[in-house]
């Protein structure tokens, strides 16, 4: 249920932004054909009804941070991604007291009641009108007359009928029929019904009420334009006079019918009298703006378009030694394709899940729902929904399929190779022959996760005379006898000296000038296997430091 509430709020928020954009565009499209703004409103209503936005084949690249440019491997999780320590696990999330009332069912019940009330009111209004015109007389095909109605209107979806008040004759009758038949040609009864459905689903959003009212106004204006475009000035004046005589103002949003004189009659009369057919260039430009705006409204911004059980997945990383390591694109795509091949439901409730090394995290930037893929003691895909108050944990039925999937076993093998070998190979690609290359040295230190483990730091390079070396100044105080951190710093020194050819020593210094440790270059470079062993050791020490710091 919390996922349904999250989906509703997401749709409403996205459509609200779109509606506000259309409100602004209406100010600049006054000279454009009004049917263009009708299309814009329909895009907003589609966003309110459809839970999944479009996914463009081309996405705008994110601007990389300095850290991402400098450290392509083992870099800390991006700023918008939560680190493992920040992820609210089940054990960290305070369990609600037994007397706590879950607000989600109450909110959904209120929403459902309001939606049902709006839809029932529309059905009742249509039924009431049909009873009122039950004795109407057919005067021509699709046109009926009745002495029980004050004004003309169009009613019905499957078999729409035009109803005229008795005694409506002459030019006024002609104008009314032209108007209502224009509604039929344009499909306005269905468009208005669809807009009412969107309003019913989001009845609590005042922006949607405003959008519906303006949409109805634009529909009537567009219909007026379709009718009066070929008119002479005399016919336009007669049409405006008929509008004034038959005009009425609904006191509340109307689901039915499409009445000739509704929706701000004075504004429509003024528009009819002042109307000038827009130049072709204006219409073309307005149409281009309309197409672009509709595309933006219906598209999920910043979304790569990957969906897992209705959730947009935009972040994926694995917990390795207590550190968050982003999944490379190929492993990320392989995993999502594999998971989407299994049925996710039904779910089984569980509790007490905590992240461990090797667990994979799949989440969205918007939060709310996170998937955890764990192999301890057996493959489990766990979905945790966060509503801000508590977290509900559910094990997916896909877990059983994963346990027997050879493809998943191969994927786990590829992931292990990436962590143990590929990352080390990428790190070796950062090697530089000269210590004087400041940016290259900084890239190596960040690739070794220095700022994430030891905190902020600065460094100075000593290149004026041999032996050449580097001094790294740690800004955060280091507790005495911190063997874990010292072991990690030793690993950093060993790998740094191996990657920088002419570096001979690394000095670590903390606040106050106290020297923590000094590491000297060993003779010769490490072979591939030795390098990977030290790199694995560094990851283990880094993870131990992170866990000790968070504890």
């Amino acid at each position: 249920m919390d996922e349904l509430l999250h989906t509703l709020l997401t749709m409403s928020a996205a459509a609200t932004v779109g509606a506000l954009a259309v409100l602004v565009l209406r100010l600049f499209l006054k000279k454009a054909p009004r049917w263009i703004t009708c299309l814009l409103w329909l895009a907003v209503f589609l966003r309110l009804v459809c839970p999944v936005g479009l996914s463009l084949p081309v996405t705008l690249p994110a601007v990389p941070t300095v850290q991402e440019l400098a450290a392509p491997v083992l870099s800390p999780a991006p700023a918008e991604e939560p680190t493992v320590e920040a992820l609210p696990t089940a054990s960290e999330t305070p369990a609600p007291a037994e007397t706590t009332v879950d607000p989600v069912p109450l909110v959904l019940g209120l929403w459902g009641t309001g939606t049902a009330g709006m839809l029932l009111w529309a059905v009742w209004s249509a039924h009431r009108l049909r009873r009122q015109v039950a004795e109407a007389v057919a005067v021509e095909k699709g046109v009926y007359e009745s002495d029980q109605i004050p004004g003309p209107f169009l009613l019905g979806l499957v078999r729409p009928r035009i109803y005229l008040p008795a005694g409506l004759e002459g030019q006024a009758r002609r104008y009314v029929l032209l108007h209502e038949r224009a509604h039929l040609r344009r499909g306005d009864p269905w468009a208005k019904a669809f807009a009412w459905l969107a309003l019913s689903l989001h009845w609590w959003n005042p922006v949607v009420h405003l959008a519906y009212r303006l949409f109805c106004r634009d529909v009537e204006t567009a219909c007026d334009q379709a009718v009066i475009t070929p008119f002479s000035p005399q016919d336009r004046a007669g049409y405006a006079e008929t509008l004034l005589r038959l005009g009425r103002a609904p006191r509340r949003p109307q689901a039915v019918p499409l009445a000739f004189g509704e929706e701000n009659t004075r504004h429509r009369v003024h528009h009819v009298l002042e109307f000038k057919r827009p130049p072709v260039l204006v219409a073309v430009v307005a149409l281009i703006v309309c197409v672009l705006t509709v595309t933006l409204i219906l598209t999920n911004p910043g979304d790569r378009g990957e969906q897992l059980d209705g959730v947009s997945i935009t972040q994926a990383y694995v917990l390795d030694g207590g550190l968050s390591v982003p999944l490379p694109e190929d492993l990320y795509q392989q995993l999502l394709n594999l998971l989407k091949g299994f049925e996710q439901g039904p779910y089984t409730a569980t509790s007490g899940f905590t992240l461990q090394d090797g667990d994979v995290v799949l989440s969205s930037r918007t939060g709310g729902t996170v998937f955890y893929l764990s192999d301890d003691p057996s493959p489990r895909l766990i979905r945790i929904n966060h509503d801000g108050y508590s977290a509900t944990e559910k094990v997916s039925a896909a877990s059983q399929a994963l346990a027997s999937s050879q493809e998943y076993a191969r994927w786990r093998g590829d992931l292990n190779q990436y962590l143990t070998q590929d990352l080390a190979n990428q790190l070796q690609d950062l090697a530089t022959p000269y210590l004087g290359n400041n940016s290259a040295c900084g890239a190596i230190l960040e690739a070794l996760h220095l700022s994430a483990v030891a905190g902020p730091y600065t460094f100075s390079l000593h290149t004026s005379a041999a032996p050449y070396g580097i001094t790294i100044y740690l800004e955060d105080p280091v507790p005495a006898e911190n063997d874990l951190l010292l072991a990690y710093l030793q690993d950093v020194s060993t790998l740094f000296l191996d990657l920088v050819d002419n570096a001979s020593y690394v000095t670590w210094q903390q606040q106050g000038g106290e020297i923590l440790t000094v590491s000297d270059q060993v003779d010769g470079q490490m072979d591939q296997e030795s390098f990977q062993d030290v790199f694995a050791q560094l990851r283990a020490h880094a993870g131990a430091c992170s866990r000790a710091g968070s504890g």
Side-chain angles (χ1 to χ4, degrees):
M1 288 193 296
D2 46 356
E3 185 61 28
L4 173 59
L5 181 59
H6 180 265
T7 301
L8 282 171
L9 293 175
T10 301
M11 288 193 300
S12 193
T16 296
V17 174
L20 295 176
V22 176
L23 281 173
V24 174
L25 284 175
R26 285 178 89 251
L27 300 177
F28 297 94
L29 295 176
K30 290 182 178 180
K31 294 184 178 181
R34 190 54 68 188
W35 61 265
I36 289 180
T37 55
C38 292
L39 288 181
L40 294 177
W41 288 125
L42 286 175
V44 172
F45 296 135
L46 180 59
R47 201 69 174 91
L48 287 166
V49 173
C50 180
V52 180
L54 298 177
S55 298
L56 294 178
V58 178
T59 55
L60 293 177
V63 179
T65 63
V66 174
Q67 189 178 67
E68 288 173 328
L69 291 172
V73 296
L74 258 185
S75 58
E80 65 270 23
E81 291 189 13
T83 62
V84 172
E85 293 79 16
L87 279 173
T89 64
S91 60
E92 295 169 346
T93 304
E98 294 183 358
T99 56
T100 301
V101 177
D102 186 358
V104 174
L106 181 63
V107 172
L108 287 178
L110 180 61
W111 164 77
T113 301
T115 297
M118 295 281 287
L119 295 175
L120 288 174
W121 186 76
V123 173
W124 178 78
S125 298
H127 176 69
R128 183 184 59 178
L129 274 175
R130 290 194 181 280
R131 289 185 59 186
Q132 189 175 353
V133 296
E135 298 180 358
V137 178
V139 293
E140 55 183 285
K141 184 178 180 180
V143 181
Y144 292 75
E145 281 190 356
S146 173
D147 58 1
Q148 302 297 315
I149 56 176
F153 57 84
L154 175 65
L155 180 63
L157 293 176
V158 179
R159 295 179 180 176
R161 295 177 175 181
I162 299 173
Y163 292 93
L164 305 176
L168 185 63
E169 302 292 344
Q171 288 293 84
R173 180 188 181 93
R174 169 173 166 258
Y175 297 144
V176 168
L177 289 177
L178 286 173
H179 181 92
E180 302 300 348
R181 284 169 176 160
H183 276 312
L184 285 174
R185 289 195 307 272
R186 292 160 36 86
D188 289 339
W190 286 99
K192 189 172 183 180
F194 178 74
W196 183 263
L197 173 62
L199 177 63
S200 299
L201 290 173
H202 301 267
W203 56 267
W204 40 269
N205 189 334
V207 176
V208 181
H209 280 267
L210 177 61
Y212 180 81
R213 176 53 62 87
L214 292 177
F215 166 71
C216 291
R217 181 181 299 180
D218 287 349
V219 163
E220 293 299 333
T221 303
C223 193
D224 290 337
Q225 290 180 349
V227 172
I228 67 174
T229 296
F231 275 11
S232 65
Q234 292 78 9
D235 274 333
R236 291 184 186 180
Y239 187 90
E241 182 183 356
T242 304
L243 271 176
L244 275 178
R245 183 156 57 91
L246 299 176
R248 62 186 182 89
R251 290 173 295 178
R252 61 179 70 87
Q254 298 289 310
V256 291
L258 284 165
F260 174 75
E262 68 179 357
E263 298 301 337
N264 201 333
T265 304
R266 291 183 180 275
H267 169 80
R268 288 172 59 195
V269 168
H270 175 76
H271 180 82
V272 167
L273 295 176
E274 300 294 329
F275 175 74
K276 294 181 180 179
R277 188 169 185 171
V280 175
L281 180 61
V282 172
V284 170
V285 171
L287 183 59
I288 294 174
V289 171
C290 175
V291 171
L292 294 176
T293 306
V294 168
T295 303
L296 292 175
I297 290 174
L298 298 180
T299 301
N300 286 329
D303 189 352
R304 288 187 290 184
E306 298 292 351
Q307 297 277 330
L308 180 60
D309 200 21
V311 179
S312 295
I313 303 299
T314 57
Q315 303 175 113
Y317 52 92
V318 60
L319 188 64
D320 180 57
L323 302 174
S324 303
V325 180
L327 288 183
E329 187 66 23
D330 57 340
L331 290 178
Y332 165 80
Q333 289 294 339
Q334 290 173 22
L335 178 60
L336 273 186
N337 292 336
L338 177 64
L339 293 177
K340 287 190 289 188
F342 299 128
E343 290 292 334
Q344 305 303 320
Y347 288 90
T348 304
T350 186
S351 61
F353 174 77
T354 21
L355 280 172
Q356 302 179 50
D357 272 356
D359 289 353
V360 177
V361 181
L362 301 168
S363 64
S364 171
R365 286 190 179 92
T366 57
T369 299
V370 181
F371 289 94
Y372 299 99
L373 182 59
S374 175
D375 270 8
D376 187 16
S378 60
R380 290 188 302 163
L381 179 62
I382 299 174
R383 175 172 177 154
I384 297 184
N385 297 328
H386 302 280
D387 59 12
Y389 302 95
S390 62
T392 57
E393 301 176 42
K394 298 178 291 185
V395 178
S396 169
S399 302
Q400 298 177 356
L402 288 171
S404 58
S405 171
Q406 294 183 356
E407 187 178 355
Y408 176 65
R410 286 193 295 269
W411 183 87
R412 273 291 180 180
D414 293 341
L415 176 62
N416 183 65
Q417 177 179 324
Y418 172 74
L419 295 173
T420 58
Q421 299 179 27
D422 296 350
L423 282 177
N425 294 339
Q426 293 177 33
L427 179 61
Q428 286 183 305
D429 291 339
L430 297 177
T432 177
Y434 303 113
L435 182 68
N437 190 332
N438 188 79
S439 60
C441 292
I444 292 173
L445 292 176
E446 273 309 291
L448 296 172
H449 240 306
L450 182 56
S451 62
V453 177
Y457 66 91
T458 57
F459 63 86
S460 60
L461 304 176
H462 309 295
T463 58
S464 57
Y468 304 128
I470 180 175
T471 299
I472 303 173
Y473 308 94
L474 302 180
E475 297 184 13
D476 292 342
V478 179
E481 300 181 358
N482 191 335
D483 295 336
L484 288 176
L485 181 59
L486 291 177
Y488 164 75
L489 297 182
Q490 180 60 52
D491 295 334
V492 173
S493 300
T494 301
L495 294 173
F496 183 88
L497 292 172
D498 189 71
L499 293 170
V500 182
D501 291 348
N502 68 337
S504 300
Y505 66 89
V506 177
T507 300
W508 296 91
Q509 186 172 323
Q510 67 171 330
Q511 286 181 338
E514 179 183 352
I515 294 178
L516 294 172
T517 181
V518 178
S519 300
D520 296 323
Q521 175 67 284
V522 295
D523 294 335
Q525 284 192 320
M526 290 184 285
D527 57 28
Q528 184 73 14
E529 184 177 354
S530 299
F531 188 92
Q532 291 179 357
D533 290 342
V534 176
F535 182 63
Q537 181 177 286
L538 173 135
R539 288 163 39 225
H541 286 149
C545 290
S546 298
R547 288 192 295 271
S550 62

